[in-house]
Amino acid sequence: MAGLLGCAVLVGAGNAMPNGRPTPSKQPVPRWLSLKSDSVFARQGPGLDYRIMWRYQVSGLPVQVIAETAEWRKICDPEGAVAWVHRSVVSSRRSVLNLSPEEVRIHAGRSDTSPVRARLSPRSLVSLSECVDQWCEIRVGRLRGWLPQRAVFGAQEQALCNANRPAGTGRES
């Protein structure tokens, strides 16, 4: 019985915000989501009365939830900026982005020595299936392949932005 209780505590620990309070969604923080449309407003705080700082214009853009309220998600974007977005404009569909100026090789298997199937161009966005042993399986149309987890934005396990940082920092408004 004590062992089961210990497991329950560990499972619930991932569903807490940095301040230790449980997340309203019961989902872990940090976690990855993607933007649902090519017009998403980034706000300074969690509510419609907060100033719009900028607009995201890329559907499928991976963002990391670093804190939340019942209706709003505090996110970290690929440029390291922090903003608040409404929960209705994000999706649990995962994607990753090649932020490097170099192409990333997409391999047939989870190894640098496996055949290269394609290359992911700089600033390209692709659907993510799963990550296993530091490799991520991606989909582009009918192509499936693996790339190193470290090579793309949207697959990291640790928080990329400090949840205590105010929204609007890390990007020009």
Side-chain angles (χ1 to χ4, degrees):
M1 182 70 161
L4 288 176
L5 271 175
C7 288
V9 170
L10 288 175
V11 169
N15 297 345
M17 290 192 284
N19 62 10
R21 291 193 323 232
T23 60
S25 68
K26 308 283 190 271
Q27 297 294 315
V29 170
R31 72 177 178 280
W32 289 99
L33 299 175
S34 61
L35 300 182
K36 281 186 180 177
S37 77
D38 59 3
S39 183
V40 173
F41 293 116
R43 294 189 178 268
Q44 196 165 24
L48 294 174
D49 53 336
Y50 286 91
R51 179 174 72 87
I52 295 171
M53 300 179 298
W54 58 80
R55 183 175 64 156
Y56 292 105
Q57 298 181 16
V58 180
S59 180
L61 184 73
V63 293
Q64 188 179 52
V65 176
I66 55 174
E68 65 179 38
T69 69
E71 297 295 317
W72 294 85
R73 306 297 179 251
K74 190 174 191 181
I75 61 167
C76 178
D77 72 19
E79 294 180 12
V82 174
W84 287 91
V85 297
H86 193 267
R87 69 180 177 93
S88 66
V89 300
V90 290
S91 168
S92 60
R93 288 189 189 145
R94 296 280 306 273
S95 59
V96 291
L97 176 67
N98 177 6
L99 285 179
S100 88
E102 306 296 323
E103 292 179 333
V104 175
R105 292 182 183 127
I106 300 172
H107 293 270
R110 295 189 318 244
S111 166
D112 284 323
T113 59
S114 69
V116 174
R117 288 196 161 164
R119 297 177 191 279
L120 183 62
S121 299
R123 305 299 292 176
S124 293
L125 188 63
V126 293
S127 296
L128 173 68
S129 296
E130 66 175 331
C131 293
V132 177
D133 297 328
Q134 304 301 307
W135 285 85
C136 295
E137 184 181 30
I138 57 99
R139 295 180 316 273
V140 183
R142 297 175 114 190
L143 173 78
R144 286 182 177 270
W146 294 87
L147 46 77
Q149 188 172 4
R150 70 185 178 286
V152 289
F153 176 85
Q156 295 75 10
E157 295 173 11
Q158 74 281 4
L160 300 180
C161 294
N162 183 338
N164 295 321
R165 228 172 75 200
T169 57
R171 172 193 269 234
E172 305 251 345
S173 302

